[in-house]
Amino acid sequence: MQRRGALFGMPGGSGSRKMAAGDIGELLVPHMPTIRVPRSGDRVYKNECAFSYDSPVTIACDAVLSSKSPYRKQDPDTWENELPVSKYANNLTQLDNGVRIPPSGWKCARCDLRENLWLNLTDGSVLCGKWFFDSSGGNGHALEHYRDLGYPLAVKLGTITPDGADVYSFQEEEPVLDPHLAKHLAHFGIDMLHMHGTENGLRDNDIKPRVSEWEVIQETGSKLKPMYGPGYTGLKNLGNSCYLSSVMQAIFSIPEFQRAYVGNLPRIFDYSPLDPTQDFNTQMTKLGHGLLSGQYSKPPVKSELIEQVMKEEHKPQQNGISPRMFKAFVSKSHPEFSSNRQQDAQEFFLHLVNLVERNRIGSENPSDVFRFLVEERIQCCQTRKVRYTERVDYLMQLPVAMEAATNKDELIAYELTRREAEANRRPLPELVRAKIPFSACLQAFSEPENVDDFWSSALQAKSAGVKTSRFASFPEYLVVQIKKFTFGLDWVPKKFDVSIDMPDLLDINHLRARGLQPGEEELPDISPPIVIPDDSKDRLMNQLIDPSDIDESSVMQLAEMGFPLEACRKAVYFTGNMGAEVAFNWIIVHMEEPDFAEPLTMPGYGGAASAGASVFGATGLDNQPPEEIIAIITSMGFHRNQAIQALRATNSNLERALDWIFSHPEFEEDSDFVIEMENNTNANIISEAKPEGPRVKDGSGMYELFAFISHMGTSTMSGHYVCHIKKEGRWVIYNDHKVCASERPPKDLGYLYFYRRVPS
């Protein structure tokens, strides 16, 4: 009798087959039941609907009520249905090619994966299946093999027992039964009667399996105790959404974010727009409340425990909350985050910070805790002159100093043994992971680096240059990224499998910036020439662009990079609407100028020429918004003072002014401010005043570790993320919807580390 179930790693295919719940490549379509319209004369019971049985309304209602939501996670027993016998099983062709499959040590023939491997029953090829969010899968090589050669059946290695195995038919696009499975396996030297299936494919009498990154990070094998209550709520995986879940768990463990959103819940909900699904602050608050309130993380009651025991579920089941609406908003208009593909947690963290910056609540901005200034010192190698600049950053990227590994001899011996085992198809040796001292990574961060394509203002020509980076300020919370991902010589992404002794207490005070030192001479403040394509020079020199014709799409592309809006408009204007790339070069050249972020002013236009002015007319020199726009806003029920204040803050842009009013409820009654502005006819436009510089929370460079996010897999575009957070003096693991007390937090295998400043 062939075994059923355990089909979450099937190798691939498409269509209307039965597919595992974890297959992110499939679109879950609601099951629409077969509807039978009763004939006239059929009996109608008193509790039934009064509609006629053949009424379209009744049919539609019945279909909706009985259908299953595509968002509802399918129960495990959904996949326990009887499997059909494959039509290819009786006459399956098996090649006499001498292939013999060992009992362990398997590896995909086309890549390095050793999990979710499938044995093709025709030629004995061992290839990987598809990748799923539940930590299984591969690169789809088993499916590619079928498409190339047409061999229909494959069995999953590691599932073979005397009772059967998981068999998949590529041609029939579904799991199947193979009545002759024992015979087909024996063709490749596999005796079913002596096989005991395990997750890694090793039998009980085999050597101890190597400890993989997956097992260590998820603390596999430990009896983890589930956690319940406020702050111990998990997030359901929506299909490769673990990168989002891990980041949000770390974010909402920070008091500043808790206060900004959950602490302001009544106020944010009261002022939320008519469509709260399109409001960032509302969605952040709702998610934060779900994670922190404890309402969705309660231990099971006695009756549920009894039911779980009856179902042989030894651990209490945690449901978690679904961040579907939050993910839909934060990923809106983003080509990567809006997909169901796995993403880089570091990139999502920066994306989230950007959203917090753009949607801050009044003057409160919780992302201030991450912001710090970096001092970059560039030195011309020929003249020895230097230039000091500052930039804003939100995380510290720490390189992996592979050359400083303390176990080089072990690594060399392991690599030789591994290659020999693969060649002879023997079990692989115990994994040896490179051990990198944290001090070596910190040293690599502080060392000078060469500057490619450096233009020396002292020489007025290209020259060799070196750059060093230091902290001009230390943030309240320091996020450290271990740069584990790189490219090989063939430009194929790869990941360093390393162990770094990350400290619980981190002191980086020695990386404090010192500024211009005695004896150093600064490079002249001369800008390099702008290189303009030859075919566009005539257009730029001979055509004066009307400010109203500035290419807004190019402006917004630059603004999305974080540059001031007015600077972006000037860049597009002065480069003749030749696109964002040329305008970007202009920004790089002029970003140090004192009027970089000032409004565009052109002779002959009488003042600020803003491409973003309202269709009703831009704000004049007297800074008085057009009366027709004020009337529109006041007709919506807002005070005239509010309308004037909002329009002045947004350069009389109606849509932006309405957003400003909703995001600044604290200014509703601040009439004194508006009256003062009305009396000051020469007042500057608020939003276009000269910036005072980024707000930073400087202090000591001594930190303590309180959270880290780990990644499992060979690429940021695949694999799985898990978050560990230290709460109430103990470490807790957040693995999607599962929240448990951590037994062995793998602090040496993390990817993103969150440190908080130690009070001095």
Side-chain angles (χ1 to χ4, degrees):
M1 175 89 184
Q2 187 168 319
R3 204 161 45 83
R4 291 173 286 132
L7 297 174
F8 284 93
M10 57 185 61
S14 59
S16 59
R17 67 190 186 283
K18 299 185 182 93
M19 177 51 71
D23 187 349
I24 64 168
E26 295 299 317
L27 176 64
L28 296 178
V29 181
H31 169 68
M32 297 300 292
T34 302
I35 301 174
R36 181 180 66 88
V37 180
R39 297 183 298 273
S40 58
D42 280 0
R43 193 170 185 178
V44 180
Y45 295 92
K46 65 178 181 178
N47 290 332
E48 292 181 341
C49 180
F51 286 107
S52 169
Y53 262 98
D54 53 1
S55 167
V57 175
T58 305
I59 296 173
C61 291
D62 289 341
V64 171
L65 290 174
S66 59
S67 67
K68 293 184 179 180
S69 168
Y71 304 129
R72 187 183 306 160
K73 185 177 180 180
Q74 301 294 320
D75 294 330
D77 59 2
T78 302
W79 311 108
E80 295 291 338
N81 297 327
E82 284 293 338
L83 301 178
V85 175
S86 173
K87 63 182 180 181
Y88 298 97
N90 291 332
N91 301 308
L92 182 69
T93 301
Q94 292 189 285
L95 304 181
D96 293 324
N97 51 12
V99 173
R100 290 295 180 268
I101 305 301
S104 61
W106 309 308
K107 172 180 169 295
C108 177
R110 298 188 184 182
C111 66
D112 293 329
L113 291 182
R114 301 176 182 278
E115 299 169 345
N116 190 33
L117 299 178
W118 293 77
L119 169 67
N120 190 287
L121 291 178
T122 296
D123 64 356
S125 298
V126 176
L127 299 159
C128 60
K130 293 177 68 176
W131 185 266
F132 308 124
F133 75 85
D134 67 334
S135 308
S136 65
N139 298 315
H141 290 142
L143 180 59
E144 291 180 9
H145 186 69
Y146 159 72
R147 289 171 177 167
D148 293 339
L149 300 176
Y151 301 153
L153 298 182
V155 60
K156 185 176 183 180
L157 295 175
T159 67
I160 304 172
T161 70
D163 296 324
D166 292 343
V167 180
Y168 186 80
S169 173
F170 297 101
Q171 180 65 35
E172 296 160 287
E173 296 187 325
E174 64 180 343
V176 295
L177 292 174
D178 179 3
H180 311 290
L181 182 60
K183 171 187 172 184
H184 293 155
L185 291 174
H187 182 82
F188 299 109
I190 301 175
D191 186 354
M192 280 183 60
L193 298 180
H194 294 86
M195 293 295 291
H196 301 278
T198 62
E199 288 298 321
N200 51 34
L202 294 174
R203 297 181 299 176
D204 295 337
N205 58 348
D206 283 326
I207 63 169
K208 180 182 178 181
R210 65 195 186 109
V211 180
S212 71
E213 186 183 46
W214 293 84
E215 296 168 327
V216 175
I217 291 177
Q218 296 187 104
E219 304 188 49
T220 303
S222 300
K223 294 183 178 180
L224 303 181
K225 179 183 178 182
M227 304 288 289
Y228 299 95
Y232 299 107
T233 305
L235 289 167
K236 294 180 181 178
N237 197 314
L238 306 178
N240 278 334
S241 64
C242 53
Y243 67 93
L244 178 147
S245 300
S246 298
V247 171
M248 298 314 301
Q249 292 286 7
I251 287 294
F252 275 112
S253 68
I254 297 174
E256 283 78 0
F257 280 86
Q258 296 174 359
R259 289 195 299 266
Y261 295 104
V262 183
N264 286 322
L265 184 147
R267 172 182 158 196
I268 293 175
F269 282 2
D270 287 344
Y271 287 96
S272 63
L274 294 178
D275 185 3
T277 65
Q278 302 304 310
D279 181 63
F280 174 76
N281 293 323
T282 301
Q283 294 305 314
M284 279 285 285
T285 302
K286 189 179 74 168
L287 179 64
H289 176 263
L291 294 177
L292 301 175
S293 66
Q295 295 182 13
Y296 309 97
S297 178
K298 298 178 180 179
V301 296
K302 187 175 181 179
S303 59
E304 292 175 341
L305 288 173
I306 295 175
E307 182 180 355
Q308 289 167 8
V309 171
M310 297 296 293
K311 291 182 178 180
E312 297 183 354
E313 296 175 354
H314 303 294
K315 293 183 179 180
Q317 300 300 303
Q318 297 166 297
N319 295 322
I321 58 177
S322 175
R324 188 175 302 278
M325 195 175 296
F326 175 80
K327 183 179 185 297
F329 179 85
V330 298
S331 62
K332 182 176 59 176
S333 303
H334 194 288
E336 288 300 325
F337 297 134
S338 58
S339 70
N340 278 336
R341 296 185 294 271
Q342 187 62 274
Q343 303 298 331
D344 188 349
Q346 177 257 355
E347 292 182 2
F348 179 75
F349 167 76
L350 293 178
H351 177 65
L352 180 73
V353 168
N354 185 33
L355 290 174
V356 173
E357 296 272 4
R358 286 160 47 188
N359 297 274
R360 66 183 186 180
I361 308 168
S363 59
E364 189 173 13
N365 185 358
S367 65
D368 288 347
V369 300
F370 298 124
R371 189 185 303 110
F372 60 93
L373 296 177
V374 178
E375 177 193 85
E376 291 186 343
R377 176 186 182 272
I378 300 180
Q379 183 174 39
C380 174
C381 293
Q382 287 186 253
T383 65
R384 312 302 296 176
K385 296 182 179 181
V386 297
R387 173 180 294 121
Y388 286 87
T389 58
E390 287 186 351
R391 62 175 174 84
V392 174
D393 213 334
Y394 293 89
L395 57 80
M396 177 186 185
Q397 294 184 311
L398 209 60
V400 176
M402 290 295 295
E403 68 282 355
T406 59
N407 58 339
K408 291 181 180 178
D409 293 339
E410 290 183 77
L411 292 172
I412 294 173
Y414 164 75
E415 186 63 22
L416 293 175
T417 307
R418 184 186 65 82
R419 292 180 181 180
E420 182 181 353
E422 287 183 353
N424 297 321
R425 305 183 73 85
R426 293 201 305 263
L428 294 178
E430 185 77 18
L431 175 67
V432 177
R433 183 173 286 116
K435 297 179 180 179
I436 311 296
F438 173 78
S439 57
C441 299
L442 203 59
Q443 177 65 28
F445 170 83
S446 61
E447 288 180 349
E449 60 177 303
N450 295 326
V451 180
D452 296 329
D453 209 27
F454 173 69
W455 189 84
S456 173
S457 59
L459 299 173
Q460 294 286 295
K462 295 286 182 68
S463 174
V466 292
K467 180 179 71 174
T468 55
S469 299
R470 294 290 186 272
F471 286 84
S473 68
F474 290 123
E476 189 75 18
Y477 289 81
L478 177 66
V479 182
V480 179
Q481 177 197 11
I482 304 298
K483 298 175 67 175
K484 290 187 173 183
F485 299 96
T486 183
F487 288 93
L489 297 177
D490 54 358
W491 285 94
V492 175
K494 66 177 183 179
K495 175 184 174 182
F496 294 126
D497 190 0
V498 295
S499 170
I500 301 177
D501 58 334
M502 296 296 294
D504 288 313
L505 290 177
L506 173 61
D507 186 358
I508 56 172
N509 279 300
H510 64 285
L511 296 178
R512 169 77 72 172
R514 297 178 297 172
L516 187 68
Q517 296 298 296
E520 290 183 334
E521 186 179 353
E522 289 190 272
L523 286 164
D525 190 13
I526 302 175
S527 301
I530 300 177
V531 179
I532 300 174
D534 293 336
D535 58 351
S536 301
K537 286 182 179 179
D538 293 339
R539 176 186 174 190
L540 177 63
M541 300 303 295
N542 299 328
Q543 179 179 347
L544 180 63
I545 303 173
D546 189 295
S548 61
D549 294 333
I550 293 178
D551 182 9
E552 276 296 316
S553 62
S554 297
V555 172
M556 295 313 298
Q557 287 183 52
L558 297 171
E560 286 290 332
M561 300 179 188
F563 298 113
L565 185 61
E566 285 304 326
C568 300
R569 289 172 179 153
K570 288 198 294 187
V572 174
Y573 178 86
F574 287 120
T575 54
N577 272 349
M578 289 188 296
E581 184 175 355
V582 177
F584 176 78
N585 293 333
W586 186 95
I587 287 178
I588 297 302
V589 172
H590 294 83
M591 62 189 308
E592 300 299 328
E593 297 177 359
D595 62 344
F596 176 67
E598 292 291 332
L600 172 64
T601 303
M602 290 299 301
Y605 286 97
S610 173
S614 168
V615 294
F616 296 97
T619 304
L621 289 178
D622 61 354
N623 200 28
Q624 178 64 27
E627 284 296 327
E628 53 266 43
I629 310 182
I630 296 175
I632 293 176
I633 297 179
T634 54
S635 67
M636 299 179 183
F638 299 107
H639 297 297
R640 175 180 173 83
N641 291 343
Q642 279 183 283
I644 294 174
Q645 185 177 355
L647 290 169
R648 282 175 173 160
T650 58
N651 200 21
S652 295
N653 184 294
L654 177 59
E655 184 178 358
R656 290 169 54 200
L658 292 173
D659 290 338
W660 190 95
I661 291 175
F662 284 118
S663 61
H664 294 76
E666 69 276 9
F667 292 114
E668 181 176 355
E669 302 299 334
D670 195 0
S671 57
D672 292 339
F673 174 81
V674 179
I675 294 173
E676 180 182 352
M677 290 294 292
E678 287 178 336
N679 294 334
N680 185 4
T681 58
N682 295 320
N684 291 326
I685 299 174
I686 299 172
S687 65
E688 297 175 346
K690 184 175 180 179
E692 299 178 357
R695 293 190 302 178
V696 295
K697 297 185 176 183
D698 197 7
S700 169
M702 179 67 74
Y703 296 91
E704 64 176 344
L705 180 67
F706 73 93
F708 62 94
I709 295 173
S710 307
H711 173 267
M712 295 155 280
T714 57
S715 167
T716 54
M717 297 297 104
S718 62
H720 185 58
Y721 286 96
V722 168
C723 181
H724 284 76
I725 303 176
K726 194 172 186 179
K727 291 188 174 182
E728 300 175 336
R730 61 186 173 189
W731 284 97
V732 180
I733 178 173
Y734 293 80
N735 190 354
D736 287 333
H737 64 282
K738 295 179 289 186
V739 182
C740 302
S742 174
E743 296 291 337
R744 297 187 299 271
K747 291 183 285 187
D748 59 324
L749 300 181
Y751 175 52
L752 291 179
Y753 292 85
F754 292 77
Y755 286 87
R756 58 173 161 244
R757 196 195 326 270
V758 176
S760 54

